[in-house]
Amino acid sequence: MYKLDTQLIHAGISPDPSTGAIMTPIYQTSTYVQEAPGVHKGYEYARTQNPTRTVLQNALAAIEQGKHGLCFGSGLAATDAIAKLLNPGDEVISTNDLYGGTYRIFTKVFERYGIKFHFTGMADMSTIESLINVNTKMIWIETPTNPLLNIIDIEACAAIAKKHNLLLVVDNTFASPYLQNPLTLGADIVVHSATKYLGGHSDVVHGAIIVNSDELNEKLSFIQNACGAVPGPHDCWLVLRGIKTLHVRMQRHCENGEKVAHFLRNHPKVEKVYWIGFEDHPNHDVAKKQMRGFGGMISFILKGDVLEDAMKVLSGTKLFALAESLGGVESLIGHPASMTHGSIPREERIKNGLADSLIRLSVGIEDVQDLMDDLQQAIG
Ligand SMILES: *Cc1c(COP(=O)(O)O)cnc(C)c1O
């Protein structure tokens, strides 16, 4: 089998059978002509199947070291499909440091359908087991978490999930398949917002699920088609194109991330920096064990934790653009409390350590000195 750097460019991809085109064509069609009723080339209607999407699904499966890939119109559409595996009365145990949109769909949508969610810190696994009862069906984690960069031990979670016959879902958006492959660590389902590192250029919204089990693939494919939250072929093509440079982009995100993290830590006006590469990060050893690098996501708090000071930095950067999202080639700066995590109630947010003045960076792949100079002039 080829190594990841080769798979990122070639996995799932072969010259287009009708023309030999080396790049997967955008099959911009809603339906396919049949020779006789039921006699066709495997494609009937584009909600169910599209050749551009098929190529991407196969590529995603390969680079996550899974068997099946499924594409959705957004990361949250993928999350929605996974939650629809559950029935009223079922319970889910999830980390308390979760992407705001995931928290919102769980609490504002699926709780209305009778599914119960428990949110807990997972630095230590004992809290998970204490929440398990006969109705528990799923453990849902994100690691590294957003925006506090906590690390959860995927293998340890998988052992608990297996022991209690639960599904373990890992949101692998922050790490990307370049840094971490949860299926090889025992997860059942990997979910991605491909809007972020996989797409990599801030030009597409897309979601993906990767599984090994044929049974899960069948159930999720049914939901994908029955509920219909599928991406268009052009969006699939953009993600395919993004994936081809994932390794070179991630390498640079990691290098720049490391330098910016140390720059911030040494800055006299910075109180605390959250970055998983620091040796004194509480779960640095777990990160080292389950990841191949530390990525370009960093959060920090200024000395004094004054919201006004943070606001000055947020609107003072020139290269770091103030915007939601992450994982693109360009650097972004954000304020989780009012932006990505605005849908989490303040008490809940503060309780979980997400300060009002916390600033989050998605370090891009620009020249790192320019990035540090930009932060320096904004922090002052
Ligand atoms: C952005 C994001 C999502 C949601 O994905 P969309 O593509 O925006 O729907 C889910 N999880 C994480 C960790 C994210 O960063």
Side-chain angles (χ1 to χ4, degrees), residues 43-64:
Y43 292 92
E44 297 168 275
Y45 185 64
R47 176 172 13 82
T48 323
Q49 292 276 18
N50 176 285
T52 316
R53 195 173 94 205
T54 304
V55 170
L56 175 57
Q57 294 189 152
N58 293 338
L60 286 163
I63 64 176
E64 270 296 7

Short mmCIF file of all heavy atoms in Angstrom, two decimals, residues 43-64:
data_model
loop_
_atom_site.label_atom_id
_atom_site.label_comp_id
_atom_site.label_asym_id
_atom_site.label_seq_id
_atom_site.Cartn_x
_atom_site.Cartn_y
_atom_site.Cartn_z
N TYR A 43 -25.52 4.31 -11.77
CA TYR A 43 -25.94 5.66 -11.39
C TYR A 43 -27.37 5.90 -11.88
O TYR A 43 -27.65 5.73 -13.07
CB TYR A 43 -25.00 6.70 -11.99
CG TYR A 43 -23.62 6.65 -11.37
CD1 TYR A 43 -22.61 5.86 -11.92
CD2 TYR A 43 -23.33 7.38 -10.22
CE1 TYR A 43 -21.35 5.79 -11.34
CE2 TYR A 43 -22.08 7.32 -9.64
CZ TYR A 43 -21.08 6.54 -10.19
OH TYR A 43 -19.85 6.47 -9.61
N GLU A 44 -28.25 6.27 -10.93
CA GLU A 44 -29.65 6.49 -11.31
C GLU A 44 -30.09 7.93 -11.10
O GLU A 44 -30.78 8.50 -11.93
CB GLU A 44 -30.56 5.60 -10.45
CG GLU A 44 -30.33 4.13 -10.66
CD GLU A 44 -31.03 3.32 -9.58
OE1 GLU A 44 -30.42 3.12 -8.51
OE2 GLU A 44 -32.18 2.90 -9.81
N TYR A 45 -29.71 8.50 -9.96
CA TYR A 45 -30.18 9.84 -9.60
C TYR A 45 -29.11 10.44 -8.70
O TYR A 45 -28.54 9.76 -7.86
CB TYR A 45 -31.53 9.73 -8.87
CG TYR A 45 -32.16 11.06 -8.55
CD1 TYR A 45 -32.56 11.92 -9.57
CD2 TYR A 45 -32.35 11.46 -7.23
CE1 TYR A 45 -33.13 13.15 -9.28
CE2 TYR A 45 -32.93 12.68 -6.93
CZ TYR A 45 -33.31 13.53 -7.95
OH TYR A 45 -33.88 14.74 -7.66
N ALA A 46 -28.81 11.73 -8.88
CA ALA A 46 -27.59 12.29 -8.28
C ALA A 46 -27.68 12.59 -6.79
O ALA A 46 -26.66 12.90 -6.17
CB ALA A 46 -27.16 13.54 -9.04
N ARG A 47 -28.87 12.48 -6.17
CA ARG A 47 -28.86 12.55 -4.70
C ARG A 47 -28.23 11.28 -4.14
O ARG A 47 -27.51 11.30 -3.15
CB ARG A 47 -30.29 12.73 -4.14
CG ARG A 47 -30.29 12.69 -2.62
CD ARG A 47 -31.59 13.05 -1.90
NE ARG A 47 -32.77 13.11 -2.70
CZ ARG A 47 -33.50 12.05 -3.06
NH1 ARG A 47 -33.16 10.83 -2.66
NH2 ARG A 47 -34.57 12.21 -3.81
N THR A 48 -28.51 10.16 -4.85
CA THR A 48 -28.02 8.86 -4.40
C THR A 48 -26.55 8.66 -4.75
O THR A 48 -25.76 8.19 -3.93
CB THR A 48 -28.86 7.74 -5.05
OG1 THR A 48 -30.22 8.16 -5.12
CG2 THR A 48 -28.76 6.44 -4.29
N GLN A 49 -26.18 8.98 -5.99
CA GLN A 49 -24.82 8.72 -6.48
C GLN A 49 -24.41 9.78 -7.48
O GLN A 49 -25.21 10.18 -8.33
CB GLN A 49 -24.79 7.37 -7.23
CG GLN A 49 -25.00 6.14 -6.38
CD GLN A 49 -23.72 5.66 -5.73
OE1 GLN A 49 -22.76 6.41 -5.63
NE2 GLN A 49 -23.70 4.42 -5.28
N ASN A 50 -23.15 10.20 -7.36
CA ASN A 50 -22.59 11.09 -8.38
C ASN A 50 -21.12 10.67 -8.55
O ASN A 50 -20.43 10.47 -7.55
CB ASN A 50 -22.70 12.55 -7.92
CG ASN A 50 -22.04 13.50 -8.91
OD1 ASN A 50 -20.81 13.59 -8.99
ND2 ASN A 50 -22.85 14.19 -9.69
N PRO A 51 -20.63 10.53 -9.78
CA PRO A 51 -19.27 10.00 -9.96
C PRO A 51 -18.18 10.88 -9.32
O PRO A 51 -17.20 10.35 -8.80
CB PRO A 51 -19.10 9.96 -11.48
CG PRO A 51 -20.48 9.94 -12.03
CD PRO A 51 -21.33 10.71 -11.06
N THR A 52 -18.35 12.20 -9.33
CA THR A 52 -17.36 13.06 -8.68
C THR A 52 -17.34 12.78 -7.18
O THR A 52 -16.29 12.68 -6.55
CB THR A 52 -17.68 14.56 -8.92
OG1 THR A 52 -18.04 14.74 -10.29
CG2 THR A 52 -16.49 15.43 -8.59
N ARG A 53 -18.55 12.63 -6.62
CA ARG A 53 -18.66 12.34 -5.19
C ARG A 53 -18.08 10.97 -4.85
O ARG A 53 -17.41 10.79 -3.84
CB ARG A 53 -20.14 12.41 -4.78
CG ARG A 53 -20.34 12.49 -3.29
CD ARG A 53 -21.82 12.74 -3.00
NE ARG A 53 -22.53 11.51 -2.75
CZ ARG A 53 -23.84 11.36 -2.94
NH1 ARG A 53 -24.58 12.34 -3.44
NH2 ARG A 53 -24.43 10.22 -2.65
N THR A 54 -18.33 9.98 -5.75
CA THR A 54 -17.81 8.63 -5.51
C THR A 54 -16.30 8.65 -5.39
O THR A 54 -15.72 8.02 -4.49
CB THR A 54 -18.22 7.69 -6.67
OG1 THR A 54 -19.64 7.72 -6.78
CG2 THR A 54 -17.77 6.26 -6.42
N VAL A 55 -15.63 9.38 -6.30
CA VAL A 55 -14.17 9.45 -6.26
C VAL A 55 -13.71 10.07 -4.94
O VAL A 55 -12.81 9.55 -4.27
CB VAL A 55 -13.64 10.26 -7.48
CG1 VAL A 55 -12.15 10.56 -7.32
CG2 VAL A 55 -13.90 9.49 -8.77
N LEU A 56 -14.38 11.14 -4.52
CA LEU A 56 -14.00 11.79 -3.25
C LEU A 56 -14.25 10.86 -2.06
O LEU A 56 -13.42 10.77 -1.15
CB LEU A 56 -14.78 13.10 -3.08
CG LEU A 56 -14.58 13.82 -1.74
CD1 LEU A 56 -13.11 14.13 -1.47
CD2 LEU A 56 -15.40 15.10 -1.69
N GLN A 57 -15.38 10.16 -2.08
CA GLN A 57 -15.69 9.25 -0.97
C GLN A 57 -14.61 8.18 -0.85
O GLN A 57 -14.17 7.84 0.26
CB GLN A 57 -17.08 8.63 -1.15
CG GLN A 57 -18.17 9.71 -1.04
CD GLN A 57 -19.60 9.19 -0.98
OE1 GLN A 57 -20.46 9.85 -0.39
NE2 GLN A 57 -19.87 8.04 -1.59
N ASN A 58 -14.15 7.65 -1.99
CA ASN A 58 -13.11 6.63 -1.96
C ASN A 58 -11.78 7.21 -1.49
O ASN A 58 -11.03 6.56 -0.75
CB ASN A 58 -12.95 5.98 -3.35
CG ASN A 58 -14.19 5.17 -3.72
OD1 ASN A 58 -14.96 4.77 -2.85
ND2 ASN A 58 -14.41 4.96 -5.01
N ALA A 59 -11.49 8.44 -1.92
CA ALA A 59 -10.24 9.08 -1.49
C ALA A 59 -10.26 9.31 0.02
O ALA A 59 -9.28 9.03 0.72
CB ALA A 59 -10.06 10.41 -2.22
N LEU A 60 -11.40 9.79 0.53
CA LEU A 60 -11.51 10.06 1.98
C LEU A 60 -11.34 8.78 2.79
O LEU A 60 -10.65 8.76 3.81
CB LEU A 60 -12.86 10.69 2.29
CG LEU A 60 -13.01 12.15 1.87
CD1 LEU A 60 -14.48 12.55 1.83
CD2 LEU A 60 -12.25 13.08 2.81
N ALA A 61 -11.97 7.70 2.31
CA ALA A 61 -11.84 6.41 3.02
C ALA A 61 -10.37 6.02 3.07
O ALA A 61 -9.85 5.64 4.14
CB ALA A 61 -12.67 5.33 2.31
N ALA A 62 -9.66 6.15 1.95
CA ALA A 62 -8.26 5.72 1.90
C ALA A 62 -7.39 6.55 2.84
O ALA A 62 -6.60 5.99 3.60
CB ALA A 62 -7.74 5.81 0.47
N ILE A 63 -7.56 7.86 2.83
CA ILE A 63 -6.63 8.68 3.63
C ILE A 63 -6.95 8.64 5.13
O ILE A 63 -6.10 8.96 5.94
CB ILE A 63 -6.55 10.15 3.13
CG1 ILE A 63 -7.87 10.89 3.28
CG2 ILE A 63 -6.06 10.18 1.68
CD1 ILE A 63 -7.80 12.36 2.88
N GLU A 64 -8.17 8.20 5.50
CA GLU A 64 -8.46 7.98 6.92
C GLU A 64 -8.22 6.52 7.31
O GLU A 64 -8.56 6.09 8.41
CB GLU A 64 -9.90 8.38 7.27
CG GLU A 64 -10.09 9.82 7.71
CD GLU A 64 -9.37 10.20 9.01
OE1 GLU A 64 -8.60 9.39 9.56
OE2 GLU A 64 -9.59 11.33 9.47
#
